[in-house]
Amino acid sequence: MTVAWPRFIITFILAALGIALLTGIPTDVIPNTWFTRMTPVQSYSVPVLVVVSLLSGFLAASYLGVRGGVCATRKTTTAGAAGAAFSWFAIGCPVCNKLIILALGASGALTYFAPIQPWLAVLSIVTLMVSLGWRWWALTAASRQAIVPPANAPSLP
């Protein structure tokens, strides 16, 4: 495993910025003229957006900025996508989210969904961290196998 640092850094910056914009603009955490919120932005929304963007950027860079014979694992990509999706639900306006309104109604969105949004933020960050851990494990597996001798290897005199 070798890291192509320029490619890694460029991928990290572009992915982190892309996730920040794709999550922050529709949820109106990043103020814009295209979307408006019915409820105010919560105090945890901006830090969650920053952390999720950074973790997603590292995850994307681990795929595109690392050279080696490491395949993508299904659980890493699934966990990464789930973490990003949880963050969108965690920082979004509960009344503006059509899926939540369809499932719970407007009063249910404020009564039942809004209180669990901070927990969705934690779940999002933990899921992305676990995904990065799995990815790191996959990236370093080849080097670990090269260092550890096989169990049936003859011992040195």
Side-chain angles (χ1 to χ4, degrees):
M1 169 185 82
T2 58
V3 178
W5 286 108
R7 187 174 180 177
F8 185 91
I9 292 169
I10 290 169
T11 303
F12 166 73
I13 291 170
L14 290 177
L17 186 61
I19 290 293
L21 293 175
L22 287 173
T23 306
I25 289 176
T27 59
D28 204 27
V29 173
I30 298 173
N32 62 78
T33 57
W34 299 305
F35 298 97
T36 56
R37 289 178 70 106
M38 306 273 186
T39 60
V41 175
Q42 299 298 317
S43 60
Y44 63 86
S45 295
V46 174
V48 168
L49 179 62
V50 169
V51 170
V52 165
S53 298
L54 292 175
L55 290 173
S56 298
F58 277 121
L59 191 59
S62 74
Y63 284 101
L64 300 175
V66 177
R67 292 186 182 139
V70 180
C71 295
T73 59
R74 174 177 238 145
K75 61 185 176 181
T76 303
T77 54
T78 303
F86 289 148
S87 72
W88 187 76
F89 282 108
I91 66 174
C93 170
V95 179
C96 305
N97 190 325
K98 305 294 187 260
L99 297 173
I100 300 303
I101 294 296
L102 183 63
L104 302 173
S107 62
L110 290 173
T111 305
Y112 301 111
F113 184 70
I116 66 165
Q117 282 184 296
W119 295 106
L120 285 173
V122 171
L123 180 63
S124 170
I125 292 169
V126 168
T127 304
L128 282 166
M129 290 174 69
V130 167
S131 179
L132 270 171
W134 282 334
R135 182 67 181 153
W136 180 257
W137 183 262
L139 287 172
T140 59
S143 62
R144 282 193 313 273
Q145 290 174 356
I147 293 172
V148 178
N152 58 359
S155 60
L156 295 174

